[in-house]
Amino acid sequence: STVIPRRSVVVESGDTFVFVQRPQSPTTFERRSVELDHEFSDRAIVAKGLSPGEKVVAIGGIVMAQIYEDRLAAETGESR
């Protein structure tokens, strides 16, 4: 299992996700759905959606979620 900081996990409208750094572009991140196996006060165990060694945003995930939603709305005219 992969263990990440609990604060990396964003839950919005029933969807659970994290922002993962793209290895080929350290300043680019992708929103990735994850399934958690268990959550503690400071960490979460990821059952699906993340591989060991991948880097996730530990601070600012909620801000990134808002930026993602704003960008999606601007590009498609819709929001989630």
Side-chain angles (χ1 to χ4, degrees):
S1 297
T2 302
V3 179
I4 61 173
R6 171 63 185 91
R7 64 181 178 248
S8 298
V9 179
V10 179
V11 178
E12 183 179 275
S13 302
D15 294 327
T16 304
F17 59 90
V18 296
F19 286 93
V20 180
Q21 183 181 39
R22 291 187 176 174
Q24 67 277 13
S25 178
T27 59
T28 305
F29 298 85
E30 69 179 67
R31 178 178 157 155
R32 174 115 35 99
S33 294
V34 293
E35 183 180 308
L36 301 181
D37 187 35
H38 195 74
E39 294 180 68
F40 301 93
S41 61
D42 63 342
R43 57 195 160 91
I45 299 173
V46 179
K48 291 182 183 177
L50 194 62
S51 297
E54 289 188 298
K55 295 180 181 180
V56 297
V57 171
I59 298 173
I62 293 176
V63 173
M64 289 189 75
Q66 185 59 55
I67 292 168
Y68 176 87
E69 293 297 326
D70 291 348
R71 183 173 161 193
L72 181 66
E75 290 176 356
T76 66
E78 298 180 16
S79 62
R80 292 182 130 202

